[in-house]
Amino acid sequence: MMTKVAASSARPADPCCLIIFGASGDLTHRLLVPALYNLAASGLLPDAFALIGVARSPSSSEAFRDDLAKSLPKFATRDIDERVVKKLLAYVRYVQGEPDDESTYAQIGQELACIERERSTNGNRLFYLATPPAGFAPIGCHLGQSGLAREQNGAWRRLVVEKPFGTDLASARALNQKLLGILKEDQIFRIDHYLGKETVQNILVLRFANGLFEPIWNRHHIEHVQITVAESLTVGRRGSYYDATGALRDMVPNHLFQLLSLIAMEPPSRFAADAVRAEKAQVLNAVQLQNDAEALRNSVRAQYQDGYVENRPVEAYRKTKDVNPQSTTETYVALRLLIDNWRWAGVPFYLRTGKALRAKQTEVAIKFRQAPIAMFRETPVERLAENFLVIGIQPNECIGLKFNAKIPGPSIAIGGVGMTFNYEDYFETPPSTGYETLIYDCMIGDAILFPRADGIEAGWSVVQPFLDAWRDAGAKGLAAYRAGSDGPAEADQLLARDGHHWRPIA
Ligand code: BG6
């Protein structure tokens, strides 16, 4: 009988006031407040906590508090305990204002002065930009000019920036420059919600807390790596955002590159924010940059057509509301990347992500080289199982190893078998939004899970040649796939060229 391990106990976060810009939006209601609730329920929110919502729409502090209390049960991941809600929403204020208007910041300043007198939040302020990206730089500048984000008398002031962080290399650089002109790097927390996932955080532990994997984690033993972030969801109601963005910008420089860098980075000297982030940026900087022709040859972009996903009919992407009927925006992307360092030279990293695919499945699959099979000449190579280490990120949270075993019987026959570790068999974790650890880490000032400016720019540098090559190619080269399938045939050919094939999307 296995004993389950409960989540470890941590100290409550520092006293602070959380100021959410974009407070009337979806993110606040759907994720941030439920995550704060879970932190409060686990005893991780400080007693001295206050919340200021900032948004354009007219409202009052009472109405905002009622609105949060009403929407919480709808999005909560756990049963609601009214005592916890009361504690969480004990001190809520609302500031109505334009993000570009100085007077908004004067009002926020007044509320903060009042809170800091009455609530003992020690002057600690966490500014959270849950607004559309156009708001990031102007809000950052106003926070700087108004002095609200200036650290003094031992109080910390931090800024949380949601994605997308830029839309290309130039805009990401410009945003970093703006923010770093106002705040120090250690005050800026750039959110990538993939780093809030336990299974993603576990990649570092798997690699570096075990002596078992690291000696074979290199080009001598690994043949190739597949990173899959398949979604069964369609673009849905996000047509106007998505049509201007596409799968590459939406998913690759952020989520897929977080997975890639955790898998491929060198061991950091310490488990500390700067050491880890330096190695992650370093490996992204080692990804081979491609010229136009290489970028086209090593990428596949495609759009979904009519089909059925999980037995539901799905209309083609171009028929989606707010999507241009002639759109050439990709809803699927596959890339073949190489990393130019001694560990990975010559080992292809295949990345794919797309909407309206057969199933939701995020995994990293590491394919080991074939054993020299001289001993088993009788068994054709194709019949040997491939050695894969599969890290299931979601929805199957697991780690599995595929290898060969002797099929019982008088003769030597070989068959593929597997061993799997399922998180749920070992650990008891209450359902969460995925934002709990991230918000908590902002409150305690631990930046390990937050990409640094150099990491963000390294990611966009890799993506930029693809953006440029696709822009120049226009509709030429845009492939198609049936909704509910595993993706376009062209993506299979990308691997077939190297003699490899994708693992099926389950
Ligand atoms: C977001 C993207 O960042 O990540 C969405 O904008 C995508 O398009 C989502 O659906 C995927 O997140 P998850 O956690 O469901 O894999």
Side-chain angles (χ1 to χ4, degrees), residues 166-175 456-462 464 467:
T167 53
D168 57 12
L169 179 57
S171 58
R173 272 191 186 140
L175 183 53
I456 297 267
E457 290 174 21
W460 278 113
S461 306
V462 176
Q464 192 64 48
L467 291 174

Side-chain angles (χ1 to χ4, degrees), residues 163 193-194 197 229 231 233 238 241-242 250-251 254-255 355 360 362 394:
K163 80 170 263 266
H193 81 275
Y194 262 57
K197 297 181 194 289
V229 180
E231 295 189 86
L233 279 181
R238 299 168 74 214
Y241 159 78
Y242 200 86
D250 189 39
M251 299 294 287
N254 36 61
H255 310 325
K355 301 272 184 210
K360 182 173 176 75
T362 302
Q394 63 183 17

Side-chain angles (χ1 to χ4, degrees), residues 56 99-100 105 129-142 161-167 175 178-179 241:
R56 285 198 171 102
D100 224 355
Y105 300 85
L129 305 188
T131 63
F136 298 167
I139 296 173
C141 287
H142 278 289
V161 189
E162 268 291 337
K163 80 170 263 266
F165 200 93
T167 53
L175 183 53
K178 271 250 164 66
L179 296 180
Y241 159 78

